[in-house]
Amino acid sequence: MTYTLIGADGWPYVSVLPGTLGGHRRARLYGRLDCPSALRAISGGGYVRERVFFADEVTAIAAGYRPCAVCLPQAYQVWKTEQAAAERAMAGHTAAELAGLLGLLAAARPRVTAVVIGHGRDAALSAKAFAAAWESGPQADSAWEGIVLGVVDWPEEAASWLRQARRFVAGPPDAWVVAGAPLGWARMSERLRQSTDWDPGRTFGFASTAQAVALAPPGTLEGMRGADIDGTTWRISRNLIHRDPA
């Protein structure tokens, strides 16, 4: 007797040994053969046409399948954490982080409408995501008016950052929003304090920008606020990062 299994390359092959795990081809997930969720679907007449089998977990993962949340909850949580980390590495921020930052600005007084966005060269996607979210606003608020006056980027290393600093304060905006690596923001903020009327108390940042407090001269970022990757907020005071309770 032979069995049809899915190999690491995603293609079926004939095996003399039965599979140890089952899966769903369209949903791209795998789980135990006695998974209650799969058994309920099979008993109801569904699932069977998309049913696949694997020799082991390593093969299922290599074929591009993820763990089932029902019968393999621990493996699923590991996969979910890894996925979130990968998505954040690509985007430069988490969804919770972006939502937290938007919430801070929406609650700011006096009201913030027009913003200038600044970012390091590695954080263009975060800046773009914020700009889109700020201009569209909450779907439930038909009276929303979010304006992006400009977007300024800066390198991690430069001769003076003066050109970028002058562009950053042009407008002037109701608030500034920044994203990027700590070093670049530390150097940029130092130039802003030296050469412009920029106000850190009207500046809001993504999570990584808070770490610039350890690299910039004392007092440079006093009053700046922002959001962490889990959506909670922080503020800078006396050269320390103060985390707000969830």
Side-chain angles (χ1 to χ4, degrees):
M1 185 174 182
T2 59
Y3 305 88
T4 301
L5 307 183
I6 299 297
D9 58 1
W11 289 91
Y13 70 96
V14 176
S15 171
V16 296
L17 298 175
T20 63
L21 296 169
H24 191 280
R25 181 183 290 105
R26 186 173 300 176
R28 306 294 289 183
L29 62 83
Y30 70 88
R32 299 199 321 254
L33 296 177
D34 61 350
C35 175
S37 179
L39 294 178
R40 281 196 301 271
I42 292 171
S43 65
Y47 202 103
V48 176
R49 294 185 63 179
E50 301 295 336
R51 187 74 158 153
V52 292
F53 299 92
F54 302 95
D56 49 46
E57 188 172 34
V58 172
T59 304
I61 294 172
Y65 287 67
R66 67 156 176 88
C68 172
V70 176
C71 64
L72 297 172
Q74 292 182 334
Y76 173 76
Q77 286 302 321
V78 171
W79 172 84
K80 189 175 180 180
T81 300
E82 291 175 345
Q83 285 293 112
E87 290 172 4
R88 183 172 185 272
M90 292 180 63
H93 64 274
T94 65
E97 184 181 353
L98 177 59
L101 191 55
L102 289 165
L104 268 179
L105 281 145
R109 294 294 179 270
R111 184 185 179 192
V112 173
T113 298
V115 301
V116 167
I117 303 171
H119 65 88
R121 299 281 167 80
D122 63 339
L125 290 178
S126 294
K128 184 177 181 180
F130 178 85
W134 184 251
E135 290 181 327
S136 62
Q139 293 183 354
D141 189 352
S142 59
W144 177 263
E145 185 181 7
I147 301 170
V148 177
L149 295 177
V151 179
V152 179
D153 66 87
W154 54 76
E156 296 303 296
E157 296 290 347
S160 72
W161 286 274
L162 182 58
R163 179 174 59 85
Q164 291 92 341
R166 286 174 174 169
R167 289 178 56 215
F168 192 64
V169 298
D174 300 322
W176 290 276
V177 178
V178 294
L183 179 61
W185 173 232
R187 300 294 179 260
M188 177 67 173
S189 62
E190 181 180 359
R191 173 53 66 187
L192 286 165
R193 289 303 293 266
Q194 292 174 349
S195 307
T196 72
D197 59 357
W198 168 70
D199 180 5
R202 291 164 51 204
T203 304
F204 301 79
F206 282 84
S208 60
T209 60
Q211 305 304 321
V213 70
L215 304 171
T220 300
L221 299 173
E222 187 74 15
M224 181 179 169
R225 288 167 285 173
D228 262 325
I229 61 173
D230 61 357
T232 57
T233 57
W234 51 264
R235 54 191 171 84
I236 294 176
S237 177
R238 298 181 180 179
N239 299 313
L240 295 173
I241 304 170
H242 299 270
R243 312 286 179 180
D244 297 323

